[in-house]
C-alpha cells in the first residue's frame, strides 16, 4: 500500500481531472459506494473459484454482529448492488463510473499493490454490441488524450452460458488427457474453472494451451453476430484490435465480449485496463435481469505510463507569495491576500516572521510568479508593492484595492 506524497499526489489529481472530463464527454455519471461490503457479494458476484475470492480478499468479521465483511477487491459487484438496491434501472439504462481504492492480498511487485486504485465504467441495461464498442472506443480516446504509446487491444468472445458449457466439457476432456503435465494451479482449476487454465502464464503449459479447444469455435449465431457487431464498429472508428481466443479474464461474470489493453512498457504487469460484458450478473446479485458491460483501468499502471518522462517537482505553483514585515503591514498583507484569492489567484501568505531577505528567499523557492511586499511605511499609506519573480519586470507600488485587478490582468490578460 502506497503513500502518495505531494509531487505524486498532484499528478494523480491532474490525471483524475482529465479522466473526469473524458467520462463526462461520453455522458457517464459518478456513483460512490462504500469500501466495505458483505463478503457474500463478492463470492456471488466475482465467483467462488476465482483468484480474488480464493486468495486475495481482505475479509473480517464485524465484532458487533458477526457479519462477514470484505474490503472491496473490485467495483462492479458493489455498483450493481447499489443500482439494484436503489432501483436505478427502473425504466431506463444507466451510464455510470466509479473511482477509488480496491484491496487485494497479492504478492507485491512493481505495478501490483495491495491497495490500488481503479476507474471503472459500467453501462447497465444495454444489450450491445454498440455499447461494448463505445467502451473500447472511449478507452482508445483516453490513451490518445494521455499520449500513451505502445498500447495494444486484445478482444475475445466468451459466448453465452450454453456455449461455454459445451466448450467446457470439451476442454475438460482435453485437459484430462494432459493431466500429468499440468501445474498445481492447472490441476486445481481443471474441474472448478478450466477456462482459467487457458489463461496461465506458465511457459511450460503454452503448447498444451495452444492446442486446446477454442471457445470461439463453439459460438452460436447470436454470439458470433454480437462479436461481429463490436468489431465492425471498432473498424469504423479505426481502433485496431487483435483477436486473442485465449483471453478469458479472471472474474466469473463475463459473457460474450471481453477485452484487455496491454502495453510493452510495464514489464510483466502488462494489462492496464480490462473489461467486458456481464449480462447475467445483475440477476445473479438479486436484481431484475438486465444486460450490462463495463471495464476498469488500474490507475497505478496508467499513471506509470503517463508520468514516464515527466520532470519531478511540483506540478502547480502559487501565483503570489505575500511578504510582510511589521504588525500593521501584516494586517494589510492579509487583506491583500484575501482580495487576491477572491480574484481567483493562488496565494501563499508568509507565516512565521523573519526579515524581508529571508522571506523573499522563501517567495522565490515557492515557484510563485509574483511577490507582494508590504512594509510598515507602505501599510501606513494603504499601499502594497508587487514584483515579478520570474523574468523581467520592475517592482511597482499600488493602493491595496488595486492590487488584485492589476495582478489578475497581468496573470490572466486584460479581459480577466
Ligand atoms: P492481473 O491479471 O494483472 O492480476 P486482473 O485480471 O486481476 O489483473 P482486473 O480485476 O481486471 O485485473 O482489474 C483491472 C485492472 O486493475 C488491471 O488491468 C490492472 O491494471 C489493475 N489491477 C488489478 N490488480 C491490481 C493490483 N494488485 N495492483 C495494481 N493494479 C491492479
Ligand atoms: Mg489479479
Amino acid at each position: 500500500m502506497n503513500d502518495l506524497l505531494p509531487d505524486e499526489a498532484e499528478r494523480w489529481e491532474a490525471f483524475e481531472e482529465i479522466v473526469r472530463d473524458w467520462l463526462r464527454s461520453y455522458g457517464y455519471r459518478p456513483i460512490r459506494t462504500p469500501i466495505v461490503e458483505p463478503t457474500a457479494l463478492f463470492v456471488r458476484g466475482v465467483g467462488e473459484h476465482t483468484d480474488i475470492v480464493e486468495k486475495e480478499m481482505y475479509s473480517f468479521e464485524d465484532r458487533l454482529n458477526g457479519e462477514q465483511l470484505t474490503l472491496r477487491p473490485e467495483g462492479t459487484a458493489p455498483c450493481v448492488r447499489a443500482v439494484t438496491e436503489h432501483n436505478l434501472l427502473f425504466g431506463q439504462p444507466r451510464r455510470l463510473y466509479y473511482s477509488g481504492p480496491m484491496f487485494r492480498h497479492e504478492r507485491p511487485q512493481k505495478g501490483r499493490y495491495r491497495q490500488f486504485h481503479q476507474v471503472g465504467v459500467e453501462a447497465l441495461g444495454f444489450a450491445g454490441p454498440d455499447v461494448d464498442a463505445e467502451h473500447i472506443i472511449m478507452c482508445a480516446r483516453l490513451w490518445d488524450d494521455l499520449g500513451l504509446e505502445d498500447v495494444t487491444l486484445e478482444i475475445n468472445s466468451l459466448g453465452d452460458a450454453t456455449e461455454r458449457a459445451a466448450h467446457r466439457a470439451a476442454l475438460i476432456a482435453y485437459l484430462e488427457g494432459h493431466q500429468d503435465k499440468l501445474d498445481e494451479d492447472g490441476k486445481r482449476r481443471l474441474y472448478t474453472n478450466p477456462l482459467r487454465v487457458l489463461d496461465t502464464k506458465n511457459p511450460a503449459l503454452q503448447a498444451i494451451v495452444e492446442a486446446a479447444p477454442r471457445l470461439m469455435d463453439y459460438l452460436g449465431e447470436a454470439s458470433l453476430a454480437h462479436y461481429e457487431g463490436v468489431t465492425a464498429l471498432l473498424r469504423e472508428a479505426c481502433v485496431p484490435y487483435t483477436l486473442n481466443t485465449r483471453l478469458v479474464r479472471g472474474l466469473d461474470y463475463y459473457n460474450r465480449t471481453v477485452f484487455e489493453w496491454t502495453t510493452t512498457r510495464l514489464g510483466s504487469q502488462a494489462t492496464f485496463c480490462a473489461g467486458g460484458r456481464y449480462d447475467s450478473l445483475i440477476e445473479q446479485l438479486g436484481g431484475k435481469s438486465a444486460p450490462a458491460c463495463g471495464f476498469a483501468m488500474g490507475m497505478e499502471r496508467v499513471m506509470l505510463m503517463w508520468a514516464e518522462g515527466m520532470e519531478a517537482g511540483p506540478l502547480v505553483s502559487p501565483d503570489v507569495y505575500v511578504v510582510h514585515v511589521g504588525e500593521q503591514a501584516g494586517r494589510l498583507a492579509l487583506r491583500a491576500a484575501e482580495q487576491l484569492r477572491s480574484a481567483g489567484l493562488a496565494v501563499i501568505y508568509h507565516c512565521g516572521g523573519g526579515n524581508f531577505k529571508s522571506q523573499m528567499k522563501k517567495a522565490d523557492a515557492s515557484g510563485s510568479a509574483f511577490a507582494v511586499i508590504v512594509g510598515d511605511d507602505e501599510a501606513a499609506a494603504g499601499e502594497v508593492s508587487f514584483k515579478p519573480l520570474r523574468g523581467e519586470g520592475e517592482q511597482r507600488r499600488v493602493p491595496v484595492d488595486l492590487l488584485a485587478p492589476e495582478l489578475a490582468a497581468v496573470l490572466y490578460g486584460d479581459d480577466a
Side-chain angles (χ1 to χ4, degrees):
M1 301 191 186
N2 295 306
D3 294 314
L4 292 178
L5 304 182
D7 280 359
E8 213 180 337
E10 262 172 12
R11 280 162 181 74
W12 276 66
E13 289 194 350
F15 175 72
E16 285 159 358
E17 257 168 59
I18 295 173
V19 166
R20 261 199 296 275
D21 287 345
W22 162 72
L23 289 162
R24 263 186 221 127
S25 79
Y26 281 88
Y28 285 76
R29 298 183 64 206
I31 183 163
R32 300 189 184 204
T33 62
I35 281 172
V36 180
E37 294 275 358
T39 302
L41 174 68
F42 301 111
V43 177
R44 279 161 63 202
V46 176
E48 213 174 327
H49 300 294
T50 56
D51 281 350
I52 291 181
V53 171
E54 277 179 352
K55 51 190 185 197
E56 295 175 358
M57 294 203 302
Y58 283 93
S59 300
F60 59 97
E61 187 182 295
D62 186 318
R63 262 196 284 179
L64 286 183
N65 58 10
E67 200 183 344
Q68 293 301 318
L69 301 173
T70 292
L71 299 184
R72 65 179 183 197
E74 60 98 54
T76 300
C79 177
V80 166
R81 180 207 44 76
V83 162
T84 301
E85 195 172 316
H86 302 284
N87 223 356
L88 287 195
L89 280 185
F90 188 74
Q92 60 172 324
R94 295 277 184 173
R95 284 181 165 88
L96 301 174
Y97 75 87
Y98 60 82
S99 163
M102 306 293 160
F103 302 83
R104 296 184 196 176
H105 201 284
E106 309 197 63
R107 195 166 62 80
Q109 42 193 301
K110 189 180 177 201
R112 188 178 291 287
Y113 310 101
R114 289 179 173 174
Q115 174 175 331
F116 62 101
H117 298 76
Q118 288 184 337
V119 174
V121 166
E122 316 288 359
L124 307 157
F126 295 92
D130 45 5
V131 81
D132 311 36
E134 173 174 293
H135 283 177
I136 294 172
I137 292 165
M138 70 192 275
C139 286
R141 174 184 289 275
L142 181 63
W143 316 146
D144 213 45
D145 287 353
L146 294 170
L148 304 192
E149 284 166 9
D150 302 324
V151 302
T152 307
L153 169 65
E154 293 187 351
I155 174 169
N156 191 21
S157 175
L158 300 183
D160 62 24
T162 329
E163 291 152 5
R164 268 204 308 286
H167 169 258
R168 183 189 156 101
L171 183 60
I172 290 177
Y174 168 84
L175 291 173
E176 278 173 337
H178 298 273
Q179 204 159 3
D180 49 329
K181 292 179 223 108
L182 293 182
D183 58 12
E184 210 179 298
D185 269 345
K187 286 194 180 108
R188 189 165 46 86
R189 288 177 176 146
L190 174 51
Y191 298 104
T192 58
N193 199 347
L195 212 50
R196 283 287 276 166
V197 180
L198 300 184
D199 198 29
T200 179
K201 302 206 165 73
N202 184 349
L205 294 182
Q206 293 312 307
I208 293 176
V209 156
E210 207 65 66
R214 295 173 1 144
L215 181 42
M216 205 58 178
D217 298 326
Y218 287 77
L219 298 191
E221 221 170 279
S223 289
L224 275 177
H226 190 100
Y227 173 78
E228 294 298 338
V230 176
T231 49
L233 288 168
L234 295 184
R235 288 192 296 275
E236 180 70 31
C238 298
V239 175
Y241 61 89
T242 315
L243 168 65
N244 174 357
T245 56
R246 282 161 42 196
L247 182 66
V248 300
R249 310 279 309 109
L251 301 86
D252 266 2
Y253 47 61
Y254 290 109
N255 66 295
R256 291 197 172 160
T257 316
V258 287
F259 63 88
E260 283 192 4
W261 291 91
T262 58
T263 175
T264 49
R265 303 219 164 184
L266 290 175
S268 56
Q269 306 316 323
T271 305
F272 59 93
C273 175
R277 178 158 283 282
Y278 52 93
D279 292 332
S280 53
L281 183 66
I282 300 177
E283 189 175 22
Q284 199 176 313
L285 291 180
K288 187 163 165 278
S289 174
C293 71
F295 64 91
M297 75 177 95
M299 287 176 70
E300 281 80 3
R301 294 186 194 172
V302 176
M303 286 295 297
L304 272 173
M305 295 162 74
W306 183 55
E308 200 181 42
M310 259 190 213
E311 265 176 58
L315 207 57
V316 282
S317 310
D319 299 311
V320 177
Y321 193 102
V322 179
V323 159
H324 53 92
V325 175
E327 221 173 280
Q328 198 185 355
R331 283 196 298 274
L332 190 69
L334 193 67
R335 182 166 127 203
E338 286 303 324
Q339 287 177 345
L340 289 168
R341 293 181 184 121
S342 296
L345 275 62
V347 181
I348 296 183
Y349 176 84
H350 179 81
C351 290
N355 60 25
F356 273 122
K357 195 168 168 224
S358 74
Q359 291 191 33
M360 282 305 284
K361 263 195 197 156
K362 294 207 165 80
D364 223 21
S366 74
S368 297
F370 284 90
V372 163
I373 303 153
V374 194
D376 272 340
D377 55 330
E378 277 136 329
E383 294 185 339
V384 297
S385 299
F386 66 91
K387 178 185 169 180
L389 293 171
R390 330 267 131 200
E392 301 291 287
E394 295 290 294
Q395 178 163 331
R396 286 177 51 205
R397 189 165 152 163
V398 291
V400 65
D401 292 339
L402 291 187
L403 177 70
E406 283 262 353
L407 276 187
V410 181
L411 282 164
Y412 301 131
D414 284 331
D415 47 19

